Amino acid sequence: MIRRIKSFSSFPPLENALTEPNGLLAVGGDLSPRRLLEAYSRGIFPWFNDGEPILWWSPNPRMVLFPDELKISRSLRKVLKKNHYQIRTDYSFGQVMQACASPRKGQTGTWIHPQMIAAYTALHEMGLAHSIETWMDGVLVGGLYGVSLGKVFFGESMFSRVPNASKIALVHLIKQLQYWKFGLIDCQVKTDHLASLGAREISRMEFSQRLDMLITGLEPSSKWNFDRILIE
């Protein structure tokens, strides 16, 4: 049975999550910064359609990407070497969320609705949510956004308006996180797109244990400034 939570109550233990649908843990609560930070620090994230109650998830297994396990295909490496783009961080966070919210091919709706955009914009203003953006000729063509706590980056969504634009942003993010010695990128659920870059599944228990080690006692920076990382 799924527990209904209120604004003042905590999440139930992760082992209470359903196996079908995979990872559904709780319903209700709010999307306040306090609630979202509690959720992410425990490996829980919100995912629900506009007009529905807030649903909280902790799937098992969990798709993650360890920065040192990044795989860059030969074709993507050629694209990166062209250097015909500019990477910006936190330059147009709102634009990135709106672009990620646009319905994908074959879809009629999106889970990135105004309530979610407002919640993550509040985290962005606190220096906890970030966007990594690919620009070409002064135009935003791709990127991604997510939440950073300690030495963990929790990826939320990405978009591309030209081929490989989101992958370009992701590779630059991962290279920077390697430099900063981040331990983990949370990808939430399995996709072929992320698997091609080296992401893999681990158990919920292992994921939770790694979060405990990588988040405790560490403060995120208020603004991200990428160093010049060479993509070889």
Side-chain angles (χ1 to χ4, degrees), residues 109-163:
T110 176
W111 58 271
I112 308 175
H113 40 76
Q115 189 178 0
M116 293 286 274
I117 291 174
Y120 285 86
T121 298
L123 289 185
H124 174 64
E125 292 171 350
M126 296 170 63
L128 297 166
H130 302 279
S131 59
I132 297 84
E133 309 153 12
T134 304
W135 292 74
M136 294 181 182
D137 299 323
V139 178
L140 177 65
V141 296
L144 60 99
Y145 76 95
V147 175
S148 177
L149 293 179
K151 294 293 184 181
V152 181
F153 184 81
F154 299 86
E156 279 297 313
S157 187
M158 58 178 61
F159 79 99
S160 288
R161 290 174 175 156
V162 301

Side-chain angles (χ1 to χ4, degrees), residues 51-169:
E52 294 180 348
I54 301 174
L55 301 178
W56 300 94
W57 303 79
S58 180
N60 185 35
R62 188 77 165 229
M63 190 73 163
V64 302
L65 200 159
F66 297 100
D68 290 341
E69 295 182 3
L70 170 66
K71 296 178 181 178
I72 305 177
S73 67
R74 184 176 301 176
S75 59
L76 180 56
R77 201 174 296 277
K78 289 179 179 178
V79 172
L80 292 165
K81 285 184 176 181
K82 289 181 180 179
N83 199 28
H84 59 304
Y85 56 85
Q86 179 185 14
I87 296 296
R88 298 178 182 176
T89 57
D90 292 340
Y91 185 79
S92 293
F93 184 86
Q95 277 187 261
V96 171
M97 282 208 73
Q98 291 289 350
C100 289
S102 298
R104 311 297 169 90
K105 186 177 181 179
Q107 297 179 342
T108 57
T110 176
W111 58 271
I112 308 175
H113 40 76
Q115 189 178 0
M116 293 286 274
I117 291 174
Y120 285 86
T121 298
L123 289 185
H124 174 64
E125 292 171 350
M126 296 170 63
L128 297 166
H130 302 279
S131 59
I132 297 84
E133 309 153 12
T134 304
W135 292 74
M136 294 181 182
D137 299 323
V139 178
L140 177 65
V141 296
L144 60 99
Y145 76 95
V147 175
S148 177
L149 293 179
K151 294 293 184 181
V152 181
F153 184 81
F154 299 86
E156 279 297 313
S157 187
M158 58 178 61
F159 79 99
S160 288
R161 290 174 175 156
V162 301
N164 295 305
S166 63
K167 285 187 176 182
I168 290 171

